[in-house]
Amino acid sequence: MNKSDYVKKINDKLSDCSKKIMLEQIDRYYFAKEYQVINNKYKIGDEVKLDKGTLLHGIYKNIEGLKEILKDGLISSWFIDGRLSKYPSSVGIWNRQKKQDLCLV
């Protein structure tokens, strides 16, 4: 899908304040896609420290799901062929409430 496809879907589904917020989110999404992500140097087996406030998102399609996220980012189920969620216009994330160590396996 391209930006105009997302905008059309929002225009069809929402109105008023909800529509305005989602259109702003689409603009932010395309702005953020221009950022260059710095690759880390972690290897399998390395310890990773997650600070309080780290945002996490789970995947259910294993490596294929991860490849989709790498390509397109996190996108709500309104716009992708994925499982429907309780809140289809949103992407669920967890906000770490304390520091935590993570081991890559």
Side-chain angles (χ1 to χ4, degrees):
M1 290 178 68
N2 60 39
K3 186 175 181 177
S4 63
D5 296 323
Y6 293 117
V7 170
K8 180 180 179 339
K9 191 164 275 210
I10 291 304
N11 286 330
D12 291 345
K13 289 184 175 281
L14 299 174
S15 62
D16 303 326
C17 187
S18 299
K19 178 179 174 178
K20 180 179 182 274
I21 291 169
M22 286 295 286
L23 292 173
E24 288 172 356
Q25 291 298 314
I26 290 169
D27 286 338
R28 287 184 182 133
Y29 169 78
Y30 278 93
F31 179 77
K33 280 187 75 148
E34 300 302 316
Y35 284 115
Q36 293 295 322
V37 177
I38 299 170
N39 290 330
N40 63 56
K41 296 181 175 131
Y42 295 123
K43 296 184 290 301
I44 293 176
D46 286 353
E47 288 186 16
V48 177
K49 303 212 181 282
L50 302 177
D51 290 330
K52 178 180 178 180
T54 298
L55 302 177
L56 298 174
H57 174 72
I59 59 172
Y60 69 96
K61 292 183 182 176
N62 296 325
I63 195 69
E64 290 307 313
L66 186 56
K67 288 177 183 177
E68 290 175 18
I69 291 170
L70 287 170
K71 180 176 155 274
D72 299 321
L74 297 173
I75 301 175
S76 77
S77 61
W78 265 358
F79 305 107
I80 59 172
D81 184 27
R83 65 181 180 186
L84 294 177
S85 67
K86 185 175 180 180
Y87 306 102
S89 63
S90 303
V91 173
I93 58 170
W94 291 274
N95 183 351
R96 296 296 315 145
Q97 297 301 306
K98 60 182 181 177
K99 285 186 176 184
Q100 180 179 3
D101 292 340
L102 175 69
C103 183
L104 301 176
V105 290

